[in-house]
Structures are given as C-alpha cells and as structure tokens.
Amino acid sequence: MFIIILTYQKEITEVEKHLEAHRAYLEINYNSGNFIASGRQEPRIGGIILCRASNKDKVQELVQADPFHIHGVAKYDIIQFEPTKYASGFEKFI
C-alpha cells in the first residue's frame, strides 16, 4: 500500500485550472481499484491519495498520468507501508 502526498508547486488559481481533469484521473483510478481514498490537505497546500499497487514503479507510472503532474502543478512524495493494524472491514483494501 502507498501514500501519495501531493504538494502544490503553483498558485491555487493554476491548480484550479486543472482540477476537473485531476478529478477525472482520480475517478479512473478508483474504478480500476488503484485508489482507496483521497482528499486535499488543510490548509490547501496539496493532497493525499491512498493507493493500492503491486510496487512503487506502478505508483510512479500512475502519477505520470495525473494532469497535476503533466502540467507541473504538484510534486509527489510516495511512501510505501504495510498495514499491520487496521479497522474492521479495511482488510478488503489490502
């Protein structure tokens, strides 16, 4: 499992220009089972995506398709972790 941390590199006005395309990208990845949860950071400096993928290379491949990446709106930090404790029902995401 991976946590993808997006940090905006441009002003919010530029982020918002690509927000609709970014949301479509998220939807594609939810439908394919890659993404489990996502949302913006508060304060609004970026976002977080909880991702299920076989390896870090696959996550990096997914990130390459994000319009925020394509247009240089955000930088991405990818953190891999193995959940060892989780709420009941979460096991279906592991």
Short mmCIF file of all heavy atoms in Angstrom, two decimals, residues 1-3 50-51 79-84 90:
data_model
loop_
_atom_site.label_atom_id
_atom_site.label_comp_id
_atom_site.label_asym_id
_atom_site.label_seq_id
_atom_site.Cartn_x
_atom_site.Cartn_y
_atom_site.Cartn_z
N MET A 1 0.85 -1.17 0.00
CA MET A 1 0.00 0.00 0.00
C MET A 1 0.90 1.23 0.00
O MET A 1 2.02 1.18 0.50
CB MET A 1 -0.90 -0.03 1.23
CG MET A 1 -1.91 1.07 1.25
SD MET A 1 -3.28 0.77 2.37
CE MET A 1 -4.00 -0.67 1.63
N PHE A 2 0.39 2.31 -0.56
CA PHE A 2 1.18 3.52 -0.71
C PHE A 2 0.37 4.76 -0.32
O PHE A 2 -0.84 4.79 -0.54
CB PHE A 2 1.64 3.68 -2.16
CG PHE A 2 2.54 2.58 -2.61
CD1 PHE A 2 2.01 1.39 -3.11
CD2 PHE A 2 3.91 2.71 -2.54
CE1 PHE A 2 2.84 0.35 -3.52
CE2 PHE A 2 4.74 1.68 -2.95
CZ PHE A 2 4.20 0.50 -3.44
N ILE A 3 1.08 5.72 0.23
CA ILE A 3 0.52 7.05 0.45
C ILE A 3 1.21 7.96 -0.56
O ILE A 3 2.44 7.99 -0.63
CB ILE A 3 0.78 7.56 1.87
CG1 ILE A 3 0.13 6.63 2.89
CG2 ILE A 3 0.28 8.99 2.03
CD1 ILE A 3 0.52 6.91 4.32
N LEU A 50 -4.47 7.55 -1.02
CA LEU A 50 -4.15 6.22 -0.52
C LEU A 50 -4.30 5.27 -1.70
O LEU A 50 -5.36 5.18 -2.32
CB LEU A 50 -5.10 5.84 0.61
CG LEU A 50 -4.79 4.56 1.38
CD1 LEU A 50 -3.38 4.60 1.97
CD2 LEU A 50 -5.81 4.38 2.49
N CYS A 51 -3.20 4.59 -2.04
CA CYS A 51 -3.12 3.82 -3.28
C CYS A 51 -2.77 2.36 -3.01
O CYS A 51 -1.91 2.06 -2.18
CB CYS A 51 -2.03 4.46 -4.15
SG CYS A 51 -1.69 3.63 -5.71
N ILE A 79 5.14 7.10 -0.39
CA ILE A 79 5.56 6.37 0.80
C ILE A 79 4.90 4.99 0.78
O ILE A 79 3.67 4.90 0.72
CB ILE A 79 5.16 7.12 2.08
CG1 ILE A 79 5.79 8.51 2.09
CG2 ILE A 79 5.54 6.32 3.33
CD1 ILE A 79 5.24 9.44 3.14
N GLN A 80 5.71 3.95 0.84
CA GLN A 80 5.17 2.60 0.90
C GLN A 80 5.06 2.17 2.35
O GLN A 80 5.93 2.47 3.17
CB GLN A 80 6.07 1.63 0.15
CG GLN A 80 5.51 0.21 0.11
CD GLN A 80 6.31 -0.71 -0.79
OE1 GLN A 80 7.34 -0.33 -1.34
NE2 GLN A 80 5.84 -1.93 -0.94
N PHE A 81 3.96 1.47 2.68
CA PHE A 81 3.84 0.92 4.02
C PHE A 81 3.02 -0.36 3.99
O PHE A 81 2.26 -0.61 3.06
CB PHE A 81 3.25 1.95 4.99
CG PHE A 81 1.76 2.13 4.89
CD1 PHE A 81 0.92 1.59 5.87
CD2 PHE A 81 1.18 2.84 3.85
CE1 PHE A 81 -0.46 1.75 5.79
CE2 PHE A 81 -0.19 3.01 3.76
CZ PHE A 81 -1.02 2.46 4.74
N GLU A 82 3.22 -1.18 5.00
CA GLU A 82 2.49 -2.43 5.15
C GLU A 82 1.58 -2.29 6.36
O GLU A 82 2.06 -2.25 7.49
CB GLU A 82 3.46 -3.60 5.36
CG GLU A 82 4.36 -3.88 4.18
CD GLU A 82 3.60 -4.32 2.94
OE1 GLU A 82 2.56 -5.01 3.07
OE2 GLU A 82 4.04 -3.96 1.83
N PRO A 83 0.27 -2.20 6.14
CA PRO A 83 -0.64 -2.09 7.28
C PRO A 83 -0.59 -3.35 8.15
O PRO A 83 -0.71 -4.46 7.64
CB PRO A 83 -2.02 -1.95 6.63
CG PRO A 83 -1.77 -1.57 5.21
CD PRO A 83 -0.44 -2.14 4.87
N THR A 84 -0.34 -3.17 9.43
CA THR A 84 -0.32 -4.29 10.35
C THR A 84 -1.49 -4.24 11.32
O THR A 84 -1.83 -5.25 11.92
CB THR A 84 1.00 -4.33 11.14
OG1 THR A 84 1.20 -3.08 11.78
CG2 THR A 84 2.17 -4.61 10.21
N PHE A 90 -11.37 -2.99 6.69
CA PHE A 90 -10.31 -2.41 5.87
C PHE A 90 -9.52 -3.48 5.13
O PHE A 90 -8.89 -3.19 4.11
CB PHE A 90 -9.40 -1.53 6.71
CG PHE A 90 -8.44 -0.69 5.90
CD1 PHE A 90 -8.88 0.45 5.27
CD2 PHE A 90 -7.12 -1.06 5.77
CE1 PHE A 90 -8.02 1.23 4.52
CE2 PHE A 90 -6.24 -0.30 5.02
CZ PHE A 90 -6.69 0.85 4.39
#
